[in-house]
Amino acid sequence: MTEEINTGRTVGPRATMKDVAALAGVSLKTVSRVVNNESTVNAELATRVRSAAAQLHYQPNISASALRRLDGRSSTIAVLLEDLSNPFSATIYRSVEEVAIGRGVVVIGGSFDEDPERELTLTAAMARHRVDGFIIAPASRDHGYLAREQRAGTPFVFVDRPPVNMEADCVLSDSRDGVTRATRHLLRSGHRRIGFLGDLTTIYTAEERVAGFRDAMREAGLPIDPHLVHLDLRTAPAAEQVVGRLLDSANPPTAIFAGQNLVLMGALRAIRSRHLQDRIAVVGFDDLIMADLLEPAITVVAQNPERIAHEAATLLFRRIDGDTSPTRQIVVTSELVIRGSGEIPASVRD
Amino acid sequence: MTEEINTGRTVGPRATMKDVAALAGVSLKTVSRVVNNESTVNAELATRVRSAAAQLHYQPNISASALRRLDGRSSTIAVLLEDLSNPFSATIYRSVEEVAIGRGVVVIGGSFDEDPERELTLTAAMARHRVDGFIIAPASRDHGYLAREQRAGTPFVFVDRPPVNMEADCVLSDSRDGVTRATRHLLRSGHRRIGFLGDLTTIYTAEERVAGFRDAMREAGLPIDPHLVHLDLRTAPAAEQVVGRLLDSANPPTAIFAGQNLVLMGALRAIRSRHLQDRIAVVGFDDLIMADLLEPAITVVAQNPERIAHEAATLLFRRIDGDTSPTRQIVVTSELVIRGSGEIPASVRD
DNA sequence: GTTAGGTGAGATATCGTTGTCTTTCAAGAA
DNA sequence: TTCTTGAAAGACAACGATATCTCACCTAAC
């Protein structure tokens, strides 16, 4: 028995279509037809091929297939976000995975960490892998460099941040309006001195959030005390320090709006350590697990990452399927979730 | 000008090595040598090739390269975990990404949701994509089916749960010992009636955690009241209901150990709603963001997902690089983080 | 009976790249 | 001068698939 046919019991190389063809006694092309469920194969032959494939534990090589096929599809998409370990990005990734798996597509993830250079590195890596499409929350402020990849036929859907110098689909939260509504909510409780804490001003959404705050103040005809607006805050300790100084100042705010989760945590620590949690109103942006278990429970502007991801994935796959209609911008509404911390009236302190 | 050379300005197909070769006036193979930084190319030629590649925005096709090269490396690994949207899985993914990016390798993620069928689906998909290695927290309890892929040369590193019917590297938390230490801690505060809430008993770590609890009780010579042990709890509402019943019973526990995050949240809600948060001791498994902001702050057994991921990724890449030494099991220690809720003495209630 | 038409299956080229072999050419030794 | 040696660059095959073309073969119509 010097037979060369791989029976699947041997260690080593994987079975190829050639091996399956040899075992089934048919041509390579017939195996290809069976694997791709083409209807022009005799039923008995197809069964023979399938059983040979099963016996050899044949797994088609998707890369080889993509290389040769006309559409060049790799059954892979890239999901590139701020940081896959933060709940917002993680939820988006997971929700995209859910749509992708239904189409037999796998998802390559990447984190930009707000670093435009890392964005270049990662998008280039994805291009080398010939992903079928991108879902991207960019760190950079100019995305013209992606247009070439787009012209080569790879669709892009931007999430959380719109494309700049590029035409592409886009799914956003209504951050600006969400913050405006939250600020109005504070104003209705009588607050006039509201501290605003924002993330890096290079981030689109961070800018939108301040803008929403300014909108509401302007609308109410109130001046903004520049001492109460602190931007470019990224970490909890930084926010804790800033809020501590605000609270200890001669004319402290009666309410705080925290434009981001870590910043919210810092703010809460500063407030707690001064035992002011029942006197200073607090509203955060982005929901938190356990926000309801704090005392008072935290009022937040909650985004809807599942919905954002679902819209983005649906759009992307539609483009992959050949939709060439004009690009779309979808806005997913955010919701003010009232829990207590945002409803503390201004008068308590006065 | 009927020149066929792609200048990069045209819409359409991507530049290939052939295009670069034509523009640089060299052979295909020379371009390959330059792209792969082989030293046998004349410096001037190499420069010409590089500038042609840049002009055409040439991106090598990694799949084609993997297809042809002897080692078949796709520069892709799979990270398959319980649920990429939960903080533990998300942190592991992100930490693996960090190691991978340093090697120019991209990471495909997947979530099993404790569903063994989904595990089969996803591992097969990864095999079709010819990933270079797997980091996996399996949902199934028998991993023999992966041995074939392993024999074909793809290394596996198990995280959080050990391989069964398969020899592979493995990185675990010391869950059992961690829970034993936490239980001893409660016992030292005088607790004798401790409620234990566990996750699905099909999950390896869930079993380990109950076992750790039993170890500590046995060691202390205390009987375990079966009414106080509740397993197969997955959601916060389920846990809330169970803990509510426990607290309302004739002989309630003086302390609760919550074996998982969502279960901890349910327990806390039940306790809060009865205003017992300063009378019932609570210890959770897995750290939570904001655990320090609750009142009392939550004492937990904290795992170290970054460390687990780093060890796993390092091991995996060592295997990918050809290490054939015996498989290893690495145990990453967990830490009891004392914050207040776990230090409430039993006597307060008596 | 002959031929047109349709259908199923094989032969062959090819996708973009790397491995191997061959060729070219310059420099140094006999 | 001639030959050897070595390095650099090109020619060509092949990785595992699919696209396209061709070829049998069968049926139906004249």
Side-chain angles (χ1 to χ4, degrees):
Chain A
M1 181 69 138
T2 53
E3 189 63 16
E4 286 277 22
I5 290 175
N6 182 345
T7 60
R9 263 165 285 130
T10 51
V11 174
R14 258 176 263 263
T16 68
M17 275 196 176
K18 211 166 132 190
D19 300 319
V20 177
L23 183 60
V26 299
S27 78
L28 187 56
K29 181 67 220 199
T30 299
V31 178
S32 169
R33 283 193 256 256
V34 172
V35 167
N36 291 289
N37 289 312
E38 287 176 34
S39 55
T40 62
V41 181
N42 178 286
E44 193 234 330
L45 261 198
T47 309
R48 222 162 76 210
V49 168
R50 267 186 259 275
S51 95
Q55 191 180 329
L56 298 175
H57 296 96
Y58 171 69
Q59 291 282 14
N61 182 329
I62 292 190
S63 312
S65 162
L67 180 60
R68 189 58 177 87
R69 65 189 327 144
L70 257 22
D71 61 16
R73 288 290 141 72
S74 63
S75 296
T76 300
I77 62 171
V79 174
L80 305 177
L81 305 171
E82 184 192 337
D83 172 9
L84 260 3
S85 74
N86 84 32
F88 183 72
S89 299
T91 304
I92 290 190
Y93 181 96
R94 179 64 161 91
S95 306
V96 172
E97 181 196 339
E98 226 43 45
V99 179
I101 205 178
R103 302 191 29 135
V105 166
V106 300
V107 182
I108 303 180
S111 304
F112 290 153
D113 272 336
E114 301 302 347
D115 176 356
E117 272 200 45
R118 189 153 161 154
E119 179 183 321
L120 288 176
T121 307
L122 282 173
T123 51
M126 300 305 154
R128 287 194 292 271
H129 281 273
R130 301 291 192 268
V131 296
D132 298 336
F134 284 80
I135 287 179
I136 183 171
S140 74
R141 299 298 302 253
D142 181 349
H143 316 120
Y145 75 99
L146 293 172
R148 187 171 355 259
E149 182 68 19
Q150 190 184 40
R151 277 198 308 271
T154 314
F156 284 77
V157 176
F158 284 68
V159 289
D160 200 44
R161 303 162 190 195
V164 178
N165 288 325
M166 182 181 178
E167 268 283 301
D169 295 313
C170 174
V171 183
L172 302 174
S173 279
D174 65 338
S175 308
R176 183 166 182 166
D177 192 52
V179 176
T180 300
R181 282 180 282 128
T183 308
R184 279 191 207 125
H185 180 71
L186 288 170
L187 293 171
R188 272 197 296 274
S189 303
H191 296 281
R192 291 299 172 267
R193 295 186 55 74
I194 303 174
F196 184 93
L197 311 173
D199 202 335
L200 289 184
T201 45
T202 56
I203 304 176
Y204 168 81
T205 49
E207 275 191 350
E208 287 287 292
R209 294 173 201 177
V210 210
F213 173 69
R214 296 207 158 105
D215 288 347
M217 295 296 275
R218 190 178 317 114
E219 174 188 273
L222 293 170
I224 296 177
D225 181 346
H227 293 106
L228 293 183
V229 176
H230 290 265
L231 305 178
D232 291 310
L233 256 24
R234 285 237 84 189
T235 66
E240 184 172 355
Q241 203 178 25
V242 163
V243 173
R245 274 206 303 271
L246 281 180
L247 295 175
D248 297 339
S249 70
N251 195 4
T254 62
I256 299 275
F257 186 94
Q260 185 246 70
N261 266 339
L262 292 174
V263 163
L264 171 63
M265 288 185 56
L268 290 176
R269 291 203 184 110
I271 292 171
R272 292 295 167 115
S273 68
R274 287 164 180 77
H275 306 290
L276 293 172
Q277 61 267 38
D278 295 315
R279 319 191 81 193
I280 305 281
V282 173
V283 176
F285 198 97
D286 256 2
D287 208 356
L288 297 161
I289 197 169
M290 309 200 56
D292 64 314
L293 288 170
L294 296 186
E295 284 172 353
I298 308 299
T299 293
V300 297
V301 179
Q303 300 188 81
N304 195 338
E306 291 90 353
R307 177 93 187 283
I308 292 172
H310 188 85
E311 297 283 2
T314 305
L315 260 175
L316 185 70
F317 284 118
R318 202 173 293 155
R319 295 297 182 191
I320 290 176
D321 289 340
D323 179 1
T324 55
S325 59
T327 62
R328 294 215 282 147
Q329 189 181 75
I330 294 177
V331 175
V332 173
T333 57
S334 53
E335 188 196 356
L336 183 66
V337 182
I338 290 174
R339 294 206 181 96
S341 72
E343 290 67 49
I344 298 173
S347 49
V348 169
R349 189 176 170 88
D350 296 334
Chain B
M1 180 70 135
T2 55
E3 188 65 23
E4 285 277 23
I5 290 174
N6 182 344
T7 60
R9 261 165 286 129
T10 51
V11 174
R14 255 176 267 264
T16 68
M17 276 195 176
K18 210 165 132 190
D19 301 318
V20 177
L23 183 60
V26 299
S27 79
L28 187 56
K29 182 68 217 197
T30 298
V31 178
S32 169
R33 283 194 256 257
V34 172
V35 167
N36 291 287
N37 289 311
E38 287 176 33
S39 55
T40 61
V41 181
N42 178 287
E44 191 234 330
L45 261 199
T47 308
R48 224 162 74 211
V49 168
R50 267 187 258 275
S51 95
Q55 191 181 329
L56 298 175
H57 295 95
Y58 171 69
Q59 291 283 14
N61 182 328
I62 291 191
S63 309
S65 163
L67 180 61
R68 188 59 177 87
R69 64 190 329 143
L70 255 21
D71 61 17
R73 287 291 141 71
S74 62
S75 296
T76 299
I77 62 171
V79 174
L80 305 177
L81 305 171
E82 185 192 336
D83 172 8
L84 260 4
S85 73
N86 84 31
F88 182 74
S89 299
T91 304
I92 290 190
Y93 182 96
R94 179 65 160 91
S95 306
V96 171
E97 181 196 339
E98 226 42 45
V99 178
I101 206 178
R103 301 191 30 136
V105 166
V106 300
V107 183
I108 303 181
S111 305
F112 290 154
D113 272 336
E114 301 301 348
D115 177 356
E117 271 200 47
R118 189 152 160 154
E119 179 182 322
L120 288 176
T121 308
L122 282 174
T123 51
M126 300 305 155
R128 288 193 292 271
H129 281 274
R130 301 292 192 268
V131 296
D132 298 336
F134 285 80
I135 288 179
I136 182 171
S140 74
R141 299 298 300 255
D142 181 349
H143 315 120
Y145 75 99
L146 293 172
R148 188 173 353 262
E149 182 68 19
Q150 190 184 39
R151 277 198 308 270
T154 314
F156 284 77
V157 176
F158 284 68
V159 289
D160 200 44
R161 304 162 191 197
V164 178
N165 289 325
M166 182 181 178
E167 269 282 300
D169 295 312
C170 174
V171 183
L172 302 174
S173 278
D174 65 338
S175 308
R176 183 165 181 166
D177 193 51
V179 176
T180 300
R181 282 180 281 129
T183 308
R184 278 192 207 123
H185 180 71
L186 288 170
L187 292 171
R188 273 198 296 275
S189 303
H191 295 281
R192 291 299 173 266
R193 294 187 56 72
I194 303 175
F196 184 93
L197 311 174
D199 202 334
L200 288 186
T201 45
T202 56
I203 304 176
Y204 167 80
T205 49
E207 274 190 350
E208 287 287 293
R209 294 173 200 177
V210 209
F213 173 69
R214 296 206 157 107
D215 288 348
M217 295 296 275
R218 191 178 316 114
E219 176 188 271
L222 293 170
I224 296 177
D225 181 347
H227 293 107
L228 293 183
V229 176
H230 290 267
L231 304 179
D232 291 309
L233 256 26
R234 287 237 82 189
T235 66
E240 183 171 357
Q241 202 178 25
V242 163
V243 173
R245 275 206 302 271
L246 282 180
L247 295 175
D248 297 339
S249 71
N251 195 5
T254 62
I256 298 275
F257 186 94
Q260 186 246 69
N261 265 340
L262 292 175
V263 163
L264 171 63
M265 289 186 53
L268 290 176
R269 290 203 183 110
I271 292 171
R272 293 293 166 116
S273 68
R274 287 166 180 76
H275 304 291
L276 293 171
Q277 61 267 39
D278 294 315
R279 319 191 79 193
I280 305 282
V282 173
V283 176
F285 198 97
D286 256 3
D287 207 356
L288 297 161
I289 198 169
M290 310 202 56
D292 65 312
L293 288 170
L294 296 187
E295 284 171 354
I298 308 299
T299 293
V300 297
V301 179
Q303 300 189 82
N304 195 337
E306 291 90 352
R307 177 93 187 283
I308 292 173
H310 187 85
E311 297 282 2
T314 306
L315 260 174
L316 185 70
F317 283 119
R318 202 173 292 155
R319 295 296 182 191
I320 290 176
D321 289 340
D323 179 2
T324 56
S325 59
T327 61
R328 294 217 281 147
Q329 189 180 75
I330 295 178
V331 175
V332 174
T333 57
S334 53
E335 189 195 355
L336 183 66
V337 182
I338 291 174
R339 294 206 179 97
S341 72
E343 290 67 48
I344 298 172
S347 50
V348 168
R349 188 173 172 89
D350 295 336

